[in-house]
Amino acid sequence: MTRTQDFLKQIVFGGNDGIVTTFAIVAGFAGARADGAAGIGAIAVLVFGLANLFADAVSMGLGEFLSLRSRHAMYRARRAKVLGHVIHDGPRAGTALSQFLVQRGVPMTRAQDIGIILSEHPEVLADLSMTFEHGMTDPDMESPWQSGLVTFVSFVLFGSLPLMPYFIAEADGTTLMWSVAATVGALAGLGTLRWRVTEDTALRAIGETVLVGAVCAAVAYGVGWAVGA
């Protein structure tokens, strides 16, 4: 479960966006035609759905990769600046840390002792300053390419589920209902994963995930209905 926890954000974001992206195609076609997607055909649904699925999956994966790369660069630049200040004026940085600890309830004498000790260890003091003063955590434990790959794979795997009925049957009202069921099941599965990893309540984790997907699908259906009316 540890690796799943490490990449939970990428799995949830990628999976949810993948499900919504592909089902939005189905819902949009259904809304555009009075008889649902049947008037357009399964091939059209698959072509548009798969094109959007893989294009958006690549975009999401690369976006996650570039975002994390930018975070790494920003953190290193800020930390180098903070470390320079700490090395130049260690006692002052130690005093600032002591004041922070006092605000958090640490007794004054102990906070001062900690500040004095850490002022002699600029690397440690710089790391603490980055976390508590600047609100930035070290992103070096997160691999940009792994995060991007997990986002891409999650997007494709979860996003392909709403399209599965159209691989095995012609587009009609029944196929649309199977797609709806697959979408709800995929969202529920994603919510269950979120529940197991975060230990949040099952109702909240699953309910929120399904609700977000349902709202997006309703918007897509409404737009399709408005355009096709």
Side-chain angles (χ1 to χ4, degrees):
M1 189 67 73
T2 301
R3 297 301 291 172
T4 303
Q5 291 174 332
D6 292 341
F7 294 106
L8 179 63
K9 179 177 75 73
Q10 290 80 9
I11 294 172
V12 172
F13 283 177
N16 188 77
D17 283 358
I19 295 167
V20 170
T21 293
T22 50
F23 187 71
I25 299 296
V26 176
F29 280 150
R33 301 297 293 250
D35 55 349
I40 299 175
I43 294 298
V45 174
L46 289 175
V47 168
F48 281 95
L50 290 174
N52 277 272
L53 175 66
F54 282 95
D56 287 352
V58 171
S59 177
M60 284 281 293
L62 290 177
E64 178 68 17
F65 171 81
L66 294 175
S67 174
L68 198 50
R69 283 283 296 271
S70 298
R71 281 184 54 202
H72 281 213
M74 184 170 63
Y75 182 89
R76 285 193 294 268
R78 179 67 63 85
R79 187 183 181 281
K81 186 176 181 180
V82 170
L83 181 60
H85 288 312
V86 171
I87 293 175
H88 181 263
D89 194 356
R92 183 177 179 181
T95 300
L97 176 62
S98 299
Q99 293 173 347
F100 173 82
L101 293 175
V102 170
Q103 293 174 358
R104 290 300 182 94
V106 178
M108 175 68 74
T109 54
R110 291 188 178 181
Q112 290 176 340
D113 290 340
I114 293 172
I116 293 172
I117 293 172
L118 290 180
S119 65
E120 300 174 358
H121 302 275
E123 292 283 348
V124 177
L125 188 53
D127 288 337
L128 291 173
S129 177
M130 288 295 294
T131 300
F132 296 110
E133 183 178 352
H134 299 280
M136 300 176 67
T137 56
D138 188 354
D140 283 345
M141 296 300 293
E142 301 179 73
S143 168
W145 74 266
Q146 286 183 346
S147 295
L149 180 61
V150 170
T151 301
F152 172 83
V153 171
S154 179
F155 194 104
V156 171
L157 288 180
F158 281 97
S160 63
L161 295 178
L163 295 176
M164 286 301 173
Y166 293 93
F167 280 102
I168 58 179
E170 186 55 50
D172 55 24
T174 302
T175 312
L176 175 61
M177 290 301 101
W178 278 112
S179 180
V180 171
T183 299
V184 173
L187 289 169
L190 197 61
T192 301
L193 176 63
R194 177 184 161 197
W195 163 54
R196 293 294 301 274
V197 173
T198 63
E199 298 183 357
D200 198 355
T201 61
L203 180 61
R204 179 176 180 178
I206 299 173
E208 284 181 348
T209 306
V210 173
L211 179 61
V212 168
V215 169
C216 295
V219 170
Y221 184 91
V223 171
W225 177 84
V227 173

